[in-house]
Amino acid sequence: MPTLLFRSPSDSGEAWREALQSRMPGLDVRVHPETGDLAGIEYALVWAAPDRMLHEMPDLKVVFSLGAGVDHLLDGSVPEGVPIVRMVDPALTEGMVEYVLYHVLRHHRGMPRYERQQARAEWLAHGQRRPGERTVGILGLGELGGACATALAGLGFRVRGYSRSRRTLDGIESFAGENELNDFLADCEFLVCLLPLTEATRGMLNRDLFARLPADATLIHAGRGAHLVETDLLEGLEAGRPAHAVLDVFGTEPLPTEHPFWHHDRITVTPHVASLTNPWTGALRIVDGIRRHQTGEPLPDVIDPARGY
Ligand code: NDP
Ligand code: OXD
């Protein structure tokens, strides 16, 4: 039976051991730091790997990421030539669709304003716009962004997506590459960021981009903290571009208690929970990957380290 090393500072090793072994009885799951002898361990399932740990595993064959994003593994911690498989799981996608729909609808229906009115016991109705009058732009039209785009289009929003290569999705207007970024941004009253963090996307949510949004836009950012230039967002909010920001990811996590985002009246903070990897569904993907590797079949969802995602 194969052996797998599990390591995460934030996920339960015991829950994952139980989920993995229920799908592959006999799988030897070693939960870091109780790894035993690192020789003989062929698989690792990790969220970030400390220092040189993975380099000290002479028999390592595949690294599975606990997350859809793999930036946490592209810092040299995975030995060259060892494939990295990212998490692609319908439950993870579902969670992200819920998060994005919830925040788009909350702002589309003006709920923050009604919440402020309730605090003043103020009865005052405002006009209501139809989804078809509003454009939602999704930066990153991949597994997660694509599903969010389709769900929003299903509610009647005008939806457009931005990716590196052109994507074809029913009912979604597709923009590709830097030359099309300006046109993509022009009417986005909602801008959702679901990009992977790479050298090309680092710092992309910056002053220049905010200035190209229409007035009163809402930013919903669930990509990675380093996509956002935080001081540019604070300036942008002063100018009403964007008018509100929903942030799930931050340059420093946990977000320090003294950080200005916590108490800003036009920022909504969630603690990197837009969508969480679920051990019970995630384990199916890992076990499937191990089985495929053992029978010599191609592994799905292997990332390209040169591309960065
Ligand atoms: P995918 O790899 O499926 O999709 C990435 C998309 O981004 C693709 O459409 C890709 O273009 C596009 N892209 C990449 N680089 C660029 C670029 N330079 N310019 C324009 N578009 C670009 O990833 P997922 O959808 O599975 O995940 C996206 C990210 O969401 C993760 O990397 C992670 O950072 C974040 N995430 C956050 C979570 C949270 O709870 N906050 C949970 C899970 C993920 P192309 O189609 O041409 O390849
Ligand atoms: C992920 C995340 O990448 O949770 O899956 O951020």
Side-chain angles (χ1 to χ4, degrees):
M1 262 296 162
T3 304
L4 174 140
L5 170 78
F6 178 91
R7 192 270 172 185
S8 166
S10 51
D11 300 85
S12 159
E14 280 321 306
W16 275 93
R17 191 202 307 270
E18 197 187 334
L20 287 161
Q21 288 178 338
S22 78
R23 265 109 176 127
M24 188 178 258
L27 176 70
D28 181 2
V29 181
R30 313 257 184 95
V31 176
H32 184 269
E34 281 154 30
T35 57
D37 188 356
L38 291 176
I41 303 180
E42 294 171 284
Y43 304 105
L45 172 58
V46 293
W47 180 268
D51 302 329
R52 307 272 310 159
M53 182 183 78
L54 298 176
H55 289 265
E56 285 156 15
M57 297 169 63
D59 300 309
L60 184 64
K61 300 287 189 302
V62 182
V63 173
F64 295 97
S65 166
L66 273 161
V70 290
D71 46 293
H72 60 107
L73 291 172
L74 294 179
D75 56 356
S77 58
V78 177
E80 212 171 310
V82 174
I84 301 174
V85 175
R86 69 191 200 91
M87 183 59 71
V88 175
D89 172 37
L92 188 67
T93 305
E94 250 168 48
M96 188 58 80
V97 169
E98 284 175 7
Y99 185 86
V100 169
L101 288 191
Y102 170 78
H103 288 288
V104 168
L105 288 176
R106 178 166 186 266
H107 286 272
H108 168 60
R109 292 306 306 264
M111 288 310 295
R113 176 150 67 166
Y114 287 121
E115 285 158 14
R116 288 193 296 274
Q117 285 184 199
Q118 182 174 353
R120 302 191 294 267
E122 185 180 8
W123 183 278
L124 179 62
H126 303 280
Q128 193 173 314
R129 290 171 65 196
R130 301 191 63 202
E133 297 167 27
R134 310 192 88 163
T135 300
V136 185
I138 312 224
L139 288 166
L141 206 53
E143 197 67 36
L144 302 177
C148 293
T150 300
L152 286 159
L155 290 175
F157 288 97
R158 287 195 303 239
V159 185
R160 55 175 64 163
Y162 177 75
S163 45
R164 240 166 52 123
S165 54
R166 195 168 309 285
R167 293 273 161 164
T168 310
L169 277 177
D170 263 3
I172 313 299
E173 199 181 354
S174 169
F175 294 74
E178 282 172 37
N179 290 344
E180 298 186 11
L181 183 59
N182 277 354
D183 290 343
F184 163 82
L185 292 169
D187 304 313
C188 291
E189 286 184 66
F190 296 93
L191 181 69
V192 178
C193 178
L194 283 171
L195 287 166
L197 180 63
T198 67
E199 281 320 305
T201 62
R202 185 179 296 276
M204 196 163 161
L205 300 177
N206 59 30
R207 175 181 303 161
D208 287 349
L209 180 144
F210 296 143
R212 292 179 210 156
L213 292 173
D216 291 333
T218 297
L219 169 70
I220 298 168
H221 178 33
R224 284 289 182 265
H227 286 133
L228 175 68
V229 181
E230 296 187 347
T231 48
D232 288 5
L233 175 64
L234 291 170
E235 275 176 26
L237 287 164
E238 288 306 309
R241 279 190 172 81
H244 195 104
V246 176
L247 305 176
D248 185 56
V249 286
F250 303 89
T252 304
E253 295 182 7
L255 186 63
T257 47
E258 67 283 5
H259 199 288
F261 286 174
W262 280 116
H263 301 293
H264 197 293
D265 61 355
R266 276 170 292 133
I267 294 181
T268 303
V269 169
T270 53
H272 201 146
V273 292
S275 191
L276 300 174
T277 304
N278 174 314
W280 290 96
T281 55
L284 277 176
R285 311 294 296 188
I286 308 306
V287 164
D288 176 61
I290 294 175
R291 289 211 173 99
R292 282 170 187 260
H293 179 257
Q294 300 232 312
T295 53
E297 285 173 68
L299 286 166
D301 310 313
V302 175
I303 64 102
D304 173 356
R307 206 175 58 158
Y309 69 101

